[in-house]
Coordinates of all heavy atoms in Angstrom, one line a residue:
M1 N 145.2 172.5 -85.3 CA 145.8 173.8 -85.7 C 147.4 173.7 -85.5 O 147.8 173.3 -84.5 CB 145.3 174.9 -84.8 CG 143.9 175.3 -84.9 SD 143.4 176.6 -83.9 CE 142.9 175.7 -82.6
S2 N 148.1 174.1 -86.5 CA 149.4 174.2 -86.4 C 150.0 175.5 -86.9 O 149.4 176.1 -87.7 CB 150.2 173.1 -87.1 OG 150.0 173.2 -88.5
T3 N 151.0 176.0 -86.4 CA 151.6 177.2 -86.7 C 153.1 177.0 -87.0 O 153.7 176.1 -86.5 CB 151.5 178.3 -85.6 OG1 152.2 177.9 -84.5 CG2 150.1 178.7 -85.3
T4 N 153.7 177.9 -87.9 CA 155.0 177.9 -88.2 C 155.7 179.0 -87.7 O 155.2 180.2 -87.7 CB 155.3 177.8 -89.8 OG1 154.4 176.8 -90.3 CG2 156.7 177.8 -90.2
T5 N 156.9 178.8 -87.0 CA 157.5 179.8 -86.3 C 158.8 180.2 -86.9 O 159.6 180.9 -86.5 CB 157.8 179.5 -84.8 OG1 158.6 178.4 -84.8 CG2 156.6 179.2 -84.1
T6 N 159.0 179.8 -88.2 CA 160.3 180.0 -88.9 C 160.1 181.3 -89.8 O 161.1 181.7 -90.4 CB 160.7 178.9 -89.7 OG1 159.7 178.5 -90.6 CG2 161.0 177.6 -88.8
N7 N 159.0 181.8 -90.0 CA 158.7 183.0 -90.8 C 159.4 184.2 -90.2 O 158.8 184.6 -89.1 CB 157.2 183.1 -91.1 CG 157.0 184.3 -92.0 OD1 157.8 185.1 -92.3 ND2 155.7 184.4 -92.3
P8 N 160.3 184.8 -90.7 CA 161.0 186.0 -90.0 C 160.0 187.2 -89.9 O 160.2 188.0 -89.0 CB 162.2 186.3 -90.9 CG 162.2 185.5 -92.0 CD 161.0 184.5 -91.9
A9 N 159.0 187.2 -90.6 CA 158.0 188.3 -90.6 C 157.1 188.1 -89.3 O 156.5 189.0 -88.9 CB 157.1 188.4 -91.8
N10 N 157.1 186.9 -88.7 CA 156.3 186.7 -87.6 C 157.2 186.4 -86.4 O 157.1 185.3 -85.9 CB 155.3 185.6 -87.8 CG 154.2 185.4 -86.8 OD1 154.1 186.2 -86.0 ND2 153.4 184.4 -86.9
K11 N 158.0 187.3 -86.1 CA 159.1 187.0 -85.0 C 158.5 186.7 -83.7 O 159.1 185.9 -83.0 CB 160.0 188.3 -84.8 CG 160.8 188.5 -86.0 CD 161.7 189.7 -85.8 CE 162.6 190.0 -87.1 NZ 163.3 191.1 -87.0
D12 N 157.4 187.1 -83.3 CA 156.9 186.8 -81.9 C 156.1 185.5 -82.0 O 155.5 185.2 -81.0 CB 156.0 188.0 -81.4 CG 154.7 188.1 -82.0 OD1 154.5 187.6 -83.2 OD2 153.8 188.8 -81.4
A13 N 156.1 184.8 -83.0 CA 155.4 183.5 -83.1 C 156.1 182.5 -82.3 O 155.5 181.5 -81.9 CB 155.3 183.0 -84.5
N14 N 157.3 182.7 -82.0 CA 158.1 181.8 -81.0 C 158.3 182.5 -79.8 O 158.2 183.8 -79.7 CB 159.3 181.1 -81.7 CG 160.4 182.1 -82.1 OD1 160.2 183.3 -81.8 ND2 161.3 181.7 -82.7
V15 N 158.9 181.8 -78.8 CA 159.0 182.4 -77.5 C 160.4 183.1 -77.4 O 161.4 182.5 -77.3 CB 158.9 181.3 -76.3 CG1 159.2 182.0 -75.0 CG2 157.6 180.7 -76.4
A16 N 160.3 184.5 -77.5 CA 161.5 185.2 -77.4 C 162.8 184.7 -78.2 O 163.8 184.5 -77.6 CB 161.9 185.5 -75.9
G17 N 162.5 184.2 -79.3 CA 163.6 183.7 -80.2 C 163.9 182.2 -79.9 O 164.9 181.7 -80.5
L18 N 163.2 181.5 -79.1 CA 163.4 180.1 -78.9 C 162.8 179.4 -80.0 O 161.7 179.7 -80.5 CB 162.9 179.6 -77.6 CG 163.4 180.3 -76.3 CD1 162.7 179.6 -75.2 CD2 164.9 179.8 -76.2
H19 N 163.4 178.3 -80.4 CA 162.7 177.4 -81.4 C 161.7 176.5 -80.8 O 161.7 176.4 -79.5 CB 163.7 176.5 -82.1 CG 164.7 177.2 -82.9 ND1 164.4 177.9 -84.1 CD2 166.0 177.6 -82.6 CE1 165.4 178.6 -84.6 NE2 166.5 178.4 -83.7
D20 N 160.7 176.0 -81.4 CA 159.7 175.2 -80.9 C 160.2 174.2 -79.9 O 159.7 173.9 -78.9 CB 158.8 174.6 -82.0 CG 158.0 175.6 -82.8 OD1 157.8 176.6 -82.2 OD2 157.4 175.1 -83.8
D21 N 161.2 173.4 -80.4 CA 161.8 172.3 -79.5 C 162.3 172.8 -78.2 O 162.1 172.2 -77.2 CB 162.7 171.5 -80.2 CG 163.9 172.1 -80.8 OD1 163.8 173.5 -81.0 OD2 164.9 171.5 -81.0
Q22 N 163.0 174.0 -78.2 CA 163.4 174.6 -76.9 C 162.3 175.0 -76.1 O 162.3 174.8 -74.8 CB 164.4 175.8 -77.3 CG 165.7 175.4 -78.0 CD 166.3 176.6 -78.5 OE1 165.8 177.4 -79.2 NE2 167.7 176.7 -78.1
Y23 N 161.3 175.7 -76.8 CA 160.1 176.1 -76.0 C 159.4 174.9 -75.3 O 159.1 175.0 -74.1 CB 159.1 176.8 -77.0 CG 157.9 177.2 -76.3 CD1 157.6 178.3 -75.5 CD2 156.7 176.3 -76.4 CE1 156.5 178.6 -75.0 CE2 155.5 176.6 -75.8 CZ 155.4 177.7 -75.1 OH 154.2 178.0 -74.5
D24 N 159.2 173.8 -76.1 CA 158.6 172.7 -75.5 C 159.3 172.0 -74.4 O 158.7 171.7 -73.4 CB 158.4 171.6 -76.7 CG 157.3 172.0 -77.7 OD1 156.5 173.0 -77.4 OD2 157.4 171.5 -78.7
Q25 N 160.6 172.0 -74.5 CA 161.5 171.4 -73.4 C 161.4 172.4 -72.2 O 161.3 171.8 -71.1 CB 162.9 171.2 -73.9 CG 163.8 170.7 -72.8 CD 163.3 169.3 -72.3 OE1 163.1 168.4 -73.1 NE2 163.2 169.1 -71.0
E26 N 161.5 173.6 -72.3 CA 161.4 174.5 -71.2 C 160.1 174.4 -70.5 O 160.0 174.3 -69.3 CB 161.5 176.0 -71.7 CG 161.4 177.0 -70.6 CD 161.6 178.4 -71.0 OE1 162.1 178.7 -72.1 OE2 161.0 179.3 -70.3
H27 N 158.9 174.3 -71.3 CA 157.6 174.1 -70.6 C 157.4 172.8 -70.1 O 156.8 172.6 -69.1 CB 156.5 174.5 -71.5 CG 156.5 176.1 -71.6 ND1 157.3 176.8 -72.3 CD2 155.6 176.9 -70.9 CE1 157.0 178.1 -72.1 NE2 156.0 178.2 -71.3
Y28 N 158.1 171.7 -70.6 CA 158.0 170.4 -70.0 C 158.7 170.5 -68.6 O 158.2 170.0 -67.6 CB 158.8 169.4 -70.9 CG 158.9 168.0 -70.3 CD1 157.8 167.1 -70.3 CD2 160.0 167.7 -69.6 CE1 157.9 165.9 -69.6 CE2 160.1 166.4 -68.9 CZ 159.2 165.6 -69.0 OH 159.2 164.3 -68.4
D29 N 159.9 171.2 -68.6 CA 160.5 171.3 -67.3 C 159.7 172.2 -66.4 O 159.7 171.8 -65.1 CB 161.9 172.0 -67.5 CG 162.9 171.1 -68.3 OD1 162.6 169.9 -68.4 OD2 163.8 171.7 -68.8
L30 N 159.0 173.2 -66.8 CA 158.3 174.0 -65.9 C 157.0 173.4 -65.4 O 156.5 173.7 -64.3 CB 157.9 175.4 -66.6 CG 159.1 176.3 -67.1 CD1 158.5 177.4 -67.9 CD2 159.9 176.7 -66.0
D31 N 156.5 172.4 -66.1 CA 155.2 171.8 -65.8 C 155.4 170.8 -64.6 O 154.4 170.3 -64.1 CB 154.7 171.1 -67.0 CG 154.0 172.0 -67.9 OD1 153.6 173.2 -67.6 OD2 153.9 171.6 -69.1
H32 N 156.6 170.5 -64.2 CA 156.8 169.5 -63.1 C 156.9 170.3 -61.8 O 157.9 171.0 -61.5 CB 158.0 168.6 -63.3 CG 157.8 167.7 -64.5 ND1 157.9 168.1 -65.8 CD2 157.3 166.5 -64.5 CE1 157.5 167.1 -66.5 NE2 157.2 166.1 -65.8
D33 N 155.8 170.3 -61.1 CA 155.7 171.0 -59.8 C 156.7 170.5 -58.8 O 157.2 169.4 -58.8 CB 154.3 170.9 -59.1 CG 153.2 171.6 -60.0 OD1 153.7 172.5 -60.8 OD2 152.1 171.1 -59.9
H34 N 157.1 171.4 -57.9 CA 158.1 171.2 -56.9 C 157.4 171.4 -55.5 O 156.5 172.2 -55.4 CB 159.3 172.1 -57.0 CG 160.0 171.9 -58.4 ND1 160.9 170.9 -58.6 CD2 159.8 172.6 -59.5 CE1 161.3 171.1 -59.9 NE2 160.7 172.1 -60.4
D35 N 157.9 170.6 -54.5 CA 157.4 170.7 -53.2 C 158.0 172.1 -52.6 O 159.2 172.3 -52.7 CB 157.9 169.6 -52.3 CG 157.2 169.6 -50.9 OD1 156.4 170.4 -50.7 OD2 157.7 168.7 -50.1
H36 N 157.1 172.9 -51.9 CA 157.5 174.2 -51.4 C 157.8 174.2 -49.9 O 157.8 175.3 -49.3 CB 156.5 175.3 -51.8 CG 156.5 175.6 -53.3 ND1 157.4 176.4 -53.9 CD2 155.7 175.1 -54.2 CE1 157.1 176.4 -55.2 NE2 156.1 175.6 -55.4
T37 N 157.9 173.0 -49.3 CA 158.2 172.9 -47.9 C 159.4 172.2 -47.7 O 159.8 171.3 -48.4 CB 157.0 172.2 -47.1 OG1 156.8 170.9 -47.7 CG2 155.7 173.0 -47.3
R38 N 160.1 172.5 -46.6 CA 161.3 171.9 -46.3 C 160.9 170.8 -45.2 O 159.7 170.7 -44.8 CB 162.3 172.8 -45.5 CG 162.8 173.9 -46.4 CD 163.8 174.9 -45.7 NE 164.4 175.8 -46.6 CZ 164.8 177.0 -46.2 NH1 164.6 177.4 -45.0 NH2 165.2 177.8 -47.1
E39 N 161.8 170.0 -44.9 CA 161.6 169.0 -43.9 C 161.1 169.6 -42.6 O 161.7 170.7 -42.1 CB 162.9 168.2 -43.7 CG 162.7 166.9 -42.8 CD 164.0 166.0 -42.8 OE1 164.7 166.0 -43.8 OE2 164.2 165.6 -41.7
G40 N 160.1 169.2 -42.0 CA 159.6 169.8 -40.8 C 158.4 170.7 -41.1 O 157.9 171.4 -40.2
G41 N 158.1 170.9 -42.4 CA 156.9 171.7 -42.7 C 157.3 173.2 -42.9 O 156.3 174.0 -43.3
E42 N 158.5 173.7 -42.8 CA 158.8 175.0 -43.0 C 158.7 175.4 -44.4 O 159.3 174.6 -45.3 CB 160.2 175.2 -42.4 CG 160.8 176.7 -42.5 CD 162.1 176.9 -42.0 OE1 162.6 176.1 -41.1 OE2 162.8 177.7 -42.6
F43 N 158.2 176.5 -44.7 CA 158.1 177.0 -46.1 C 159.4 177.3 -46.7 O 160.3 177.9 -46.1 CB 157.3 178.2 -46.3 CG 156.9 178.7 -47.6 CD1 156.0 178.0 -48.4 CD2 157.6 179.7 -48.2 CE1 155.7 178.3 -49.7 CE2 157.3 180.1 -49.6 CZ 156.4 179.3 -50.3
D44 N 159.8 176.8 -47.9 CA 161.1 177.0 -48.7 C 160.8 178.2 -49.7 O 160.3 177.9 -50.7 CB 161.5 175.7 -49.3 CG 162.8 175.9 -49.9 OD1 163.4 176.9 -49.9 OD2 163.3 174.9 -50.5
S45 N 161.4 179.4 -49.3 CA 161.3 180.5 -50.2 C 162.1 180.4 -51.4 O 162.0 181.2 -52.4 CB 161.5 181.8 -49.4 OG 162.9 181.8 -49.0
E46 N 163.0 179.5 -51.4 CA 163.9 179.2 -52.7 C 163.4 178.1 -53.6 O 163.9 178.0 -54.6 CB 165.3 178.8 -52.2 CG 166.0 179.9 -51.4 CD 166.2 181.2 -52.1 OE1 166.7 181.1 -53.3 OE2 165.9 182.3 -51.6
A47 N 162.3 177.5 -53.2 CA 161.8 176.4 -54.1 C 161.2 177.1 -55.3 O 160.6 178.2 -55.2 CB 160.7 175.7 -53.3
P48 N 161.2 176.6 -56.5 CA 160.7 177.2 -57.7 C 159.2 177.3 -57.6 O 158.4 176.4 -57.1 CB 161.0 176.2 -58.8 CG 162.1 175.3 -58.3 CD 161.9 175.3 -56.8
L49 N 158.7 178.4 -58.1 CA 157.2 178.7 -58.1 C 156.9 179.0 -59.6 O 157.6 179.8 -60.2 CB 156.9 179.9 -57.2 CG 155.5 180.5 -57.4 CD1 154.5 179.5 -56.7 CD2 155.3 181.8 -56.7
T50 N 155.8 178.5 -60.1 CA 155.4 178.8 -61.5 C 154.1 179.6 -61.4 O 153.2 179.1 -60.8 CB 155.2 177.5 -62.3 OG1 156.5 176.8 -62.3 CG2 154.7 177.7 -63.7
L51 N 154.2 180.6 -62.2 CA 153.0 181.5 -62.3 C 152.6 181.5 -63.8 O 153.4 181.7 -64.7 CB 153.3 183.0 -61.9 CG 152.3 184.0 -62.2 CD1 151.1 183.9 -61.1 CD2 152.8 185.3 -62.1
R52 N 151.4 181.3 -64.1 CA 150.9 181.3 -65.5 C 149.7 182.3 -65.5 O 148.9 182.5 -64.6 CB 150.4 180.1 -66.0 CG 151.5 179.1 -66.2 CD 151.0 177.8 -66.9 NE 152.0 176.9 -67.1 CZ 152.4 175.8 -66.3 NH1 151.6 175.6 -65.2 NH2 153.4 175.0 -66.5
A53 N 149.7 183.1 -66.6 CA 148.7 184.2 -66.8 C 148.2 184.3 -68.3 O 149.2 184.2 -69.1 CB 149.2 185.5 -66.3
L54 N 147.0 184.5 -68.5 CA 146.6 184.8 -69.8 C 146.9 186.3 -70.3 O 146.6 187.1 -69.4 CB 145.1 184.6 -70.0 CG 144.6 183.2 -70.2 CD1 143.1 183.1 -70.3 CD2 145.2 182.4 -71.3
V55 N 147.5 186.5 -71.4 CA 147.8 187.8 -71.8 C 147.3 188.0 -73.2 O 147.3 186.9 -74.0 CB 149.3 188.2 -71.7 CG1 149.8 188.2 -70.3 CG2 150.2 187.3 -72.5
T56 N 146.9 189.2 -73.7 CA 146.6 189.4 -75.1 C 147.8 189.2 -75.9 O 148.9 189.4 -75.5 CB 146.0 190.7 -75.3 OG1 146.9 191.7 -75.1 CG2 144.8 191.0 -74.3
T57 N 147.6 189.1 -77.3 CA 148.7 189.0 -78.2 C 149.5 190.3 -78.1 O 150.8 190.3 -78.2 CB 148.1 188.7 -79.6 OG1 147.5 187.5 -79.6 CG2 149.2 188.6 -80.6
K58 N 148.8 191.5 -78.0 CA 149.4 192.7 -77.9 C 150.4 192.8 -76.6 O 151.5 193.2 -76.8 CB 148.5 193.9 -78.0 CG 149.1 195.2 -78.0 CD 148.0 196.3 -78.1 CE 148.6 197.7 -78.2 NZ 147.6 198.7 -78.3
E59 N 149.8 192.3 -75.5 CA 150.6 192.3 -74.3 C 151.8 191.4 -74.4 O 152.9 191.8 -73.9 CB 149.8 192.0 -73.1 CG 148.7 193.0 -72.7 CD 147.6 192.4 -71.9 OE1 147.3 191.2 -71.8 OE2 147.0 193.2 -71.1
A60 N 151.6 190.3 -75.1 CA 152.7 189.3 -75.3 C 153.8 190.0 -76.0 O 155.0 189.8 -75.7 CB 152.2 188.1 -76.0
G61 N 153.4 190.8 -77.0 CA 154.5 191.5 -77.8 C 155.2 192.4 -77.0 O 156.5 192.6 -77.1
V62 N 154.6 193.1 -76.0 CA 155.3 194.1 -75.2 C 156.2 193.3 -74.2 O 157.3 193.7 -74.0 CB 154.2 194.9 -74.4 CG1 154.9 195.8 -73.4 CG2 153.5 195.9 -75.4
I63 N 155.7 192.2 -73.6 CA 156.5 191.4 -72.7 C 157.8 190.9 -73.4 O 158.8 191.0 -72.9 CB 155.6 190.3 -72.2 CG1 154.5 190.8 -71.3 CG2 156.5 189.3 -71.5 CD1 153.4 189.8 -71.0
I64 N 157.6 190.4 -74.6 CA 158.8 189.8 -75.3 C 159.7 190.9 -75.8 O 160.9 190.8 -75.6 CB 158.2 189.0 -76.5 CG1 157.5 187.7 -76.1 CG2 159.5 188.7 -77.5 CD1 156.7 187.0 -77.2
G65 N 159.2 191.9 -76.3 CA 160.0 193.1 -76.8 C 160.7 192.8 -78.1 O 160.6 191.7 -78.6
K66 N 161.3 193.8 -78.6 CA 161.9 193.7 -80.0 C 163.1 192.7 -79.9 O 164.0 192.9 -78.9 CB 162.4 195.1 -80.5 CG 162.9 195.0 -81.9 CD 163.1 196.4 -82.4 CE 163.3 196.4 -83.9 NZ 163.3 197.7 -84.4
A67 N 163.1 191.7 -80.7 CA 164.1 190.6 -80.7 C 164.2 189.9 -79.3 O 165.3 189.4 -79.1 CB 165.4 191.2 -81.2
G68 N 163.2 189.9 -78.5 CA 163.2 189.2 -77.3 C 163.9 189.9 -76.2 O 164.2 189.4 -75.1
K69 N 164.2 191.3 -76.4 CA 165.0 192.0 -75.4 C 164.4 192.2 -74.0 O 165.0 192.0 -73.0 CB 165.3 193.4 -75.9 CG 166.3 194.2 -75.0 CD 166.6 195.5 -75.6 CE 167.5 196.4 -74.7 NZ 167.7 196.0 -73.3
N70 N 163.1 192.5 -74.0 CA 162.3 192.7 -72.7 C 162.3 191.4 -71.9 O 162.7 191.5 -70.7 CB 161.0 193.2 -72.8 CG 160.9 194.5 -73.5 OD1 161.9 195.3 -73.5 ND2 159.7 194.9 -73.9
V71 N 162.0 190.3 -72.4 CA 162.0 189.1 -71.6 C 163.4 188.7 -71.3 O 163.6 188.1 -70.2 CB 161.2 187.9 -72.4 CG1 161.9 187.4 -73.6 CG2 160.7 186.9 -71.4
A72 N 164.4 188.9 -72.2 CA 165.8 188.5 -71.7 C 166.2 189.4 -70.6 O 166.9 188.9 -69.7 CB 166.7 188.8 -73.0
D73 N 165.8 190.7 -70.6 CA 166.3 191.6 -69.5 C 165.5 191.1 -68.2 O 166.2 191.2 -67.1 CB 165.9 193.0 -69.8 CG 166.8 193.7 -70.9 OD1 167.8 193.1 -71.2 OD2 166.4 194.7 -71.3
L74 N 164.3 190.7 -68.3 CA 163.5 190.2 -67.1 C 164.2 189.0 -66.5 O 164.4 188.9 -65.4 CB 162.2 189.8 -67.6 CG 161.2 189.2 -66.5 CD1 160.8 190.2 -65.6 CD2 160.0 188.6 -67.2
R75 N 164.6 188.1 -67.4 CA 165.3 186.9 -67.0 C 166.6 187.3 -66.2 O 166.9 186.7 -65.2 CB 165.7 185.9 -68.1 CG 164.4 185.3 -68.7 CD 164.8 184.6 -70.0 NE 163.6 184.0 -70.6 CZ 163.5 183.7 -71.9 NH1 164.5 184.0 -72.8 NH2 162.4 183.2 -72.4
D76 N 167.3 188.2 -66.8 CA 168.7 188.5 -66.3 C 168.5 189.3 -64.9 O 169.3 189.0 -64.0 CB 169.5 189.5 -67.2 CG 170.0 188.8 -68.5 OD1 170.0 187.5 -68.5 OD2 170.3 189.5 -69.5
Q77 N 167.6 190.2 -64.8 CA 167.4 190.9 -63.6 C 166.8 190.1 -62.5 O 167.0 190.5 -61.2 CB 166.6 192.2 -63.9 CG 167.1 193.1 -64.8 CD 166.1 194.2 -65.3 OE1 165.0 194.3 -64.8 NE2 166.6 195.0 -66.2
T78 N 166.0 189.1 -62.7 CA 165.3 188.4 -61.6 C 165.7 187.0 -61.4 O 165.4 186.3 -60.5 CB 163.8 188.4 -62.0 OG1 163.5 187.7 -63.1 CG2 163.3 189.8 -62.1
G79 N 166.4 186.4 -62.5 CA 166.8 185.0 -62.3 C 165.7 184.1 -62.6 O 165.8 182.8 -62.4
V80 N 164.5 184.5 -63.2 CA 163.4 183.6 -63.5 C 163.5 183.1 -64.9 O 164.3 183.6 -65.7 CB 162.1 184.4 -63.4 CG1 161.9 184.9 -62.0 CG2 161.9 185.4 -64.4
K81 N 162.8 182.0 -65.1 CA 162.6 181.5 -66.5 C 161.3 182.1 -66.9 O 160.3 182.0 -66.2 CB 162.5 180.0 -66.6 CG 163.8 179.2 -66.3 CD 163.5 177.7 -66.4 CE 164.8 177.0 -66.2 NZ 164.5 175.5 -66.3
A82 N 161.2 182.8 -68.0 CA 159.9 183.4 -68.5 C 159.8 183.2 -70.0 O 160.8 183.2 -70.7 CB 160.0 184.9 -68.2
G83 N 158.5 183.0 -70.4 CA 158.2 182.8 -71.8 C 156.7 183.0 -72.0 O 155.9 183.0 -71.1
V84 N 156.4 183.2 -73.3 CA 155.1 183.3 -73.8 C 154.8 182.2 -74.7 O 155.7 182.0 -75.6 CB 154.8 184.7 -74.4 CG1 153.5 185.0 -74.8 CG2 155.2 185.8 -73.4
S85 N 153.6 181.7 -74.7 CA 153.3 180.5 -75.6 C 153.2 181.0 -77.1 O 153.1 182.2 -77.3 CB 151.9 179.9 -75.2 OG 150.9 180.9 -75.4
K86 N 153.2 180.0 -77.9 CA 153.2 180.3 -79.4 C 151.9 180.9 -79.7 O 150.9 180.8 -79.1 CB 153.3 179.0 -80.1 CG 154.7 178.3 -79.9 CD 154.8 177.0 -80.7 CE 154.2 175.9 -80.0 NZ 154.5 174.6 -80.5
V87 N 151.9 181.5 -80.9 CA 150.7 182.1 -81.5 C 149.9 180.9 -82.0 O 150.4 180.0 -82.7 CB 151.0 183.1 -82.7 CG1 149.7 183.4 -83.4 CG2 151.7 184.2 -82.1
V88 N 148.6 180.9 -81.8 CA 147.7 179.9 -82.2 C 146.7 180.7 -83.1 O 146.0 181.6 -82.5 CB 146.9 179.1 -81.2 CG1 145.9 178.2 -81.8 CG2 148.0 178.4 -80.4
Q89 N 146.5 180.3 -84.4 CA 145.6 181.0 -85.3 C 144.2 181.0 -84.7 O 143.7 180.0 -84.3 CB 145.6 180.4 -86.7 CG 145.0 181.2 -87.8 CD 145.1 180.6 -89.1 OE1 145.5 179.4 -89.3 NE2 144.8 181.3 -90.1
G90 N 143.6 182.2 -84.8 CA 142.2 182.3 -84.2 C 142.1 182.5 -82.7 O 141.0 182.7 -82.2
V91 N 143.1 182.4 -82.0 CA 143.1 182.5 -80.6 C 143.8 183.9 -80.3 O 144.9 184.2 -80.7 CB 143.9 181.4 -79.8 CG1 143.9 181.7 -78.4 CG2 143.2 180.1 -80.2
H92 N 143.2 184.8 -79.5 CA 143.7 186.1 -79.3 C 144.5 186.2 -77.9 O 145.0 187.4 -77.6 CB 142.4 187.1 -79.2 CG 141.7 187.1 -80.5 ND1 142.2 187.6 -81.6 CD2 140.5 186.5 -80.8 CE1 141.3 187.4 -82.5 NE2 140.3 186.8 -82.1
D93 N 144.6 185.1 -77.2 CA 145.4 185.1 -75.9 C 146.5 184.2 -76.0 O 146.5 183.3 -76.7 CB 144.4 184.7 -74.8 CG 143.4 185.8 -74.3 OD1 143.6 187.0 -74.5 OD2 142.3 185.4 -74.1
R94 N 147.5 184.4 -75.2 CA 148.7 183.7 -75.1 C 148.9 183.4 -73.6 O 148.4 184.1 -72.8 CB 149.9 184.3 -75.8 CG 149.7 184.4 -77.3 CD 150.6 185.2 -77.9 NE 151.9 184.5 -78.1 CZ 153.0 185.0 -78.6 NH1 153.0 186.2 -79.2 NH2 154.2 184.3 -78.6
V95 N 149.8 182.4 -73.2 CA 150.0 182.1 -71.9 C 151.4 182.6 -71.5 O 152.4 182.2 -72.1 CB 149.9 180.6 -71.6 CG1 150.2 180.3 -70.1 CG2 148.5 180.1 -71.9
L96 N 151.4 183.4 -70.5 CA 152.8 183.8 -69.9 C 153.1 182.9 -68.8 O 152.3 182.6 -67.9 CB 152.6 185.3 -69.4 CG 153.7 185.8 -68.5 CD1 155.1 186.0 -69.3 CD2 153.3 187.2 -67.9
T97 N 154.3 182.4 -68.9 CA 154.8 181.5 -67.8 C 156.1 182.0 -67.2 O 156.9 182.3 -68.0 CB 155.0 180.1 -68.4 OG1 153.9 179.5 -69.0 CG2 155.4 179.1 -67.3
V98 N 156.0 182.2 -65.8 CA 157.3 182.7 -65.2 C 157.4 181.7 -64.1 O 156.6 181.4 -63.3 CB 157.0 184.1 -64.6 CG1 158.2 184.6 -63.8 CG2 156.6 185.0 -65.7
T99 N 158.7 181.2 -64.0 CA 159.1 180.3 -63.0 C 160.4 180.8 -62.3 O 161.4 181.1 -63.0 CB 159.3 178.8 -63.6 OG1 158.1 178.4 -64.1 CG2 159.8 177.9 -62.5
G100 N 160.4 180.7 -61.0 CA 161.6 181.1 -60.2 C 161.3 181.1 -58.7 O 160.3 180.5 -58.3
T101 N 162.1 181.8 -58.0 CA 161.9 181.9 -56.6 C 160.6 182.8 -56.4 O 160.3 183.6 -57.3 CB 163.1 182.6 -55.8 OG1 163.3 183.9 -56.4 CG2 164.3 181.7 -56.0
I102 N 160.1 182.8 -55.3 CA 159.0 183.7 -55.0 C 159.4 185.2 -55.2 O 158.7 186.0 -55.9 CB 158.5 183.6 -53.5 CG1 157.8 182.2 -53.4 CG2 157.4 184.6 -53.2 CD1 157.4 181.7 -52.0
E103 N 160.6 185.6 -54.7 CA 161.0 186.9 -55.0 C 161.2 187.3 -56.5 O 160.7 188.4 -56.9 CB 162.3 187.2 -54.2 CG 162.1 187.5 -52.8 CD 163.5 188.0 -52.1 OE1 164.2 188.6 -52.8 OE2 163.5 187.8 -50.9
G104 N 161.7 186.4 -57.2 CA 162.0 186.7 -58.6 C 160.7 186.7 -59.4 O 160.5 187.5 -60.2
V105 N 159.8 185.8 -59.1 CA 158.5 185.8 -59.7 C 157.6 187.1 -59.4 O 157.1 187.7 -60.2 CB 157.7 184.6 -59.4 CG1 156.2 184.7 -60.0 CG2 158.4 183.4 -60.0
A106 N 157.7 187.5 -58.2 CA 157.1 188.7 -57.7 C 157.6 190.0 -58.5 O 156.8 190.9 -58.8 CB 157.2 189.0 -56.2
K107 N 158.9 190.0 -58.7 CA 159.5 191.1 -59.4 C 159.0 191.2 -60.9 O 158.8 192.2 -61.4 CB 161.1 191.1 -59.3 CG 161.6 191.4 -58.0 CD 163.1 191.3 -58.0 CE 163.7 191.5 -56.6 NZ 165.1 191.3 -56.5

């Protein structure tokens, strides 16, 4: 299955205005887990945490917002990296990915 994200009528087909190659690079970077402990076993609250959740296509649209405004505001206010996976024909869910500090992800 392949989808095209260049059709302006399908604005939410890409991640908040990102092109496929930018989306793929962002998620490549997010997929590499980080150690959440400091030397000596102490928990590092500043270590990046990645949260993924299934959301409906409708919820994804609300999260992204018109022209990506909602997700851009979320990123600005919390300092997290956030995005929603591409639309896949015949699949009604998308993956929301949020990466940042524990506090940022919680917000």
Side-chain angles (χ1 to χ4, degrees):
M1 288 184 270
S2 68
T3 60
T4 303
T5 60
T6 56
N7 180 353
N10 193 6
K11 290 182 183 175
D12 72 341
N14 62 6
V15 178
L18 297 179
H19 297 287
D20 287 343
D21 58 337
Q22 292 170 308
Y23 172 85
D24 292 340
Q25 181 61 47
E26 178 180 339
H27 281 78
Y28 173 82
D29 295 340
L30 297 178
D31 285 338
H32 291 83
D33 293 334
H34 302 276
D35 187 8
H36 292 279
T37 56
R38 293 182 178 150
E39 193 172 318
E42 181 182 329
F43 187 78
D44 184 0
S45 63
E46 296 300 311
L49 171 70
T50 298
L51 173 76
R52 290 190 178 97
L54 282 179
V55 295
T56 66
T57 301
K58 183 176 182 178
E59 291 167 333
V62 171
I63 292 166
I64 294 169
K66 191 168 191 168
K69 183 177 178 353
N70 292 349
V71 75
D73 289 348
L74 175 74
R75 291 172 182 154
D76 291 343
Q77 294 169 8
T78 63
V80 300
K81 290 183 179 180
V84 180
S85 64
K86 298 181 273 187
V87 171
V88 176
Q89 190 174 13
V91 178
H92 301 289
D93 292 322
R94 295 171 71 180
V95 179
L96 165 66
T97 303
V98 181
T99 297
T101 63
I102 292 172
E103 278 190 28
V105 171
K107 287 179 184 176

